[in-house]
Amino acid sequence: MPAAGDSRKQLHLPVLVFLLALVLPTQALADNAALYRSLLLPGAGQAHKGHYTKATIFAGATVLSAAGLFLSQIQYNQAADRYNNEKRTYNAYQTQLANDQIVNIEQMNGTYSAMESAWNDAEDRIVWRNVFLTTLIVTYVANVVDVLVTDPYSVDEESREASRFSIESDGREVRFGARFGF
Amino acid sequence: MKRIIVFVGLIAIVSAACTRHDDSVPPTLPVVLSQSPTNFTVSTSDNIVWTLSWTIPDPTVVRFYLVYTLDPFTGSPVLADTSMTTSPPDYNVGAALPGLEWGVSAVSTDNVESTIIYATAP
């Protein structure tokens, strides 16, 4: 199992990418309304350019990963708090023993087991927290890159990009068809 | 530049506010432990005076023993004696208490009490 320090190191890269994504747009792009919409809300720039399917995908992925990040962060905080409380209790035994107070070995072992269990929970949950954080950052960066490289939607693209579903039958067999346009 | 400083500052504040846990679980406390007493037997002829006896694998790490009786109503151990450093004398409980259950544990030189061992008269 990787140590929490490794997880924190892994966290630095996505945070750096996130910061770069925020600060890289320069004055030269200041007049790009779609870019600023996407910077504020992923998918909004795509919607501004008329790509509603992509806008829905980016917005949906952002909402899902943000919700996952929020919930996994709460769960991680709970596990880390539980670990820190158990650790405080366990370390307090040392003070009690030094002050000539008797501590039962089962009580000490029980606290140590609870501390280990909470630490394992925190390790598991920080992995999920990092997965959601990375997903959110990747979605955000992909959204910004996409809005920079994609041209506005044109009427000519309508027939090419429209999503279609079809069912055809010639009496002997039935054919189902699906075509997705972005 | 101002914008960069603001975002870096925000990230630093959020990171500092988040709860953290250690890179690994701390080691167990470096304390001297005593094994529990063994061969713990209880005998009585009148259910008033009780004779307890036990052995200990390594008496050099034992500071003293704790003798308990088990509360017949709640089932929890009640501390009866905290001063035994060797084999105890007979215990007179003052009234006939048939089926009284006794417990004993060893306290190490670092004040860590072992698991309590229980026994009752046959």
Side-chain angles (χ1 to χ4, degrees), chain A residues 3-5 8 15 19 22-23 73 76-77 80-81 83-84 87 90 94 97 100-106 108 112 116 119 122-123, chain B residues 3-4 7-8 11 18-31 33 63-64 66 68 107 110-116:
Chain A
R8 276 184 221 133
V15 169
L19 284 172
L22 287 174
V23 300
Q73 180 67 49
Y76 168 71
N77 284 354
D81 284 343
Y83 165 74
N84 287 325
K87 185 185 167 190
Y90 190 71
Q94 195 157 26
L97 293 171
D100 225 20
Q101 293 175 6
I102 297 166
V103 179
N104 189 281
I105 187 67
E106 289 175 5
M108 280 177 70
Y112 193 83
E116 268 187 321
W119 187 86
E123 280 289 295
Chain B
R3 203 171 159 189
I4 297 173
F7 280 117
V8 169
I11 293 292
C18 285
T19 309
R20 295 278 171 85
H21 72 291
D22 295 331
D23 291 350
S24 60
V25 183
T28 53
L29 294 177
V31 289
L33 302 175
R63 191 172 162 207
F64 57 85
L66 294 177
Y68 297 88
V107 177
D110 276 346
N111 288 324
V112 180
E113 181 188 13
S114 70
T115 303
I116 305 171

Side-chain angles (χ1 to χ4, degrees), chain A residues 66-88:
Chain A
L69 174 63
F70 180 71
L71 292 175
S72 57
Q73 180 67 49
I74 288 175
Q75 287 196 324
Y76 168 71
N77 284 354
Q78 288 172 343
D81 284 343
R82 207 167 71 246
Y83 165 74
N84 287 325
N85 287 338
E86 296 293 350
K87 185 185 167 190
R88 235 186 325 273

Side-chain angles (χ1 to χ4, degrees), chain A:
Chain A
M1 180 173 287
D6 296 339
S7 306
R8 276 184 221 133
K9 281 171 197 161
Q10 288 164 10
L11 200 61
H12 290 164
L13 183 62
V15 169
L16 187 66
V17 172
F18 179 70
L19 284 172
L20 285 175
L22 287 174
V23 300
L24 271 182
T26 60
Q27 193 60 39
L29 299 167
D31 56 350
N32 193 332
L35 173 64
Y36 274 96
R37 280 177 165 79
S38 269
L39 283 172
L40 285 173
L41 179 67
Q46 284 78 3
H48 181 73
K49 286 187 170 184
H51 299 281
Y52 295 109
T53 307
K54 275 200 285 192
T56 308
I57 291 170
F58 278 120
T62 302
V63 168
L64 286 177
S65 51
L69 174 63
F70 180 71
L71 292 175
S72 57
Q73 180 67 49
I74 288 175
Q75 287 196 324
Y76 168 71
N77 284 354
Q78 288 172 343
D81 284 343
R82 207 167 71 246
Y83 165 74
N84 287 325
N85 287 338
E86 296 293 350
K87 185 185 167 190
R88 235 186 325 273
T89 306
Y90 190 71
N91 287 338
Y93 290 139
Q94 195 157 26
T95 313
Q96 288 181 35
L97 293 171
N99 291 335
D100 225 20
Q101 293 175 6
I102 297 166
V103 179
N104 189 281
I105 187 67
E106 289 175 5
Q107 195 182 348
M108 280 177 70
N109 288 344
T111 306
Y112 193 83
S113 296
M115 181 172 68
E116 268 187 321
S117 167
W119 187 86
N120 288 331
D121 276 354
E123 280 289 295
D124 291 342
R125 288 169 184 186
I126 202 169
V127 170
W128 279 108
R129 197 275 307 267
N130 289 348
V131 165
F132 282 116
L133 180 63
T134 307
T135 307
L136 180 63
I137 291 168
V138 167
T139 304
Y140 189 85
V141 172
N143 148 73
V144 171
V145 170
D146 177 76
V147 86
L148 283 172
V149 299
T150 307
D151 293 329
Y153 187 81
S154 65
V155 179
D156 297 340
E157 292 175 286
E158 188 173 3
S159 59
R160 182 165 53 84
E161 291 197 353
S163 296
R164 289 179 186 167
F165 298 93
S166 62
I167 301 175
E168 295 170 8
S169 173
D170 59 2
R172 287 181 301 167
E173 58 182 17
V174 178
R175 285 190 295 277
F176 295 92
R179 179 183 167 185
F180 300 95
F182 295 99

Side-chain angles (χ1 to χ4, degrees), chain B residues 76-94:
Chain B
S76 56
V78 178
L79 200 56
D81 199 328
T82 62
S83 60
M84 291 298 104
T85 52
T86 55
S87 264
D90 293 342
Y91 285 98
N92 188 331
V93 294

Side-chain angles (χ1 to χ4, degrees), chain B residues 24-87:
Chain B
S24 60
V25 183
T28 53
L29 294 177
V31 289
V32 174
L33 302 175
S34 168
Q35 289 182 317
S36 296
T38 52
N39 304 318
F40 180 42
T41 57
V42 178
S43 59
T44 180
S45 56
D46 54 7
N47 291 322
I48 299 173
V49 178
W50 300 75
T51 304
L52 279 56
S53 75
W54 62 79
T55 57
I56 189 80
D58 182 9
T60 59
V61 295
V62 177
R63 191 172 162 207
F64 57 85
Y65 300 94
L66 294 177
V67 176
Y68 297 88
T69 56
L70 208 62
D71 188 310
F73 299 106
T74 64
S76 56
V78 178
L79 200 56
D81 199 328
T82 62
S83 60
M84 291 298 104
T85 52
T86 55
S87 264

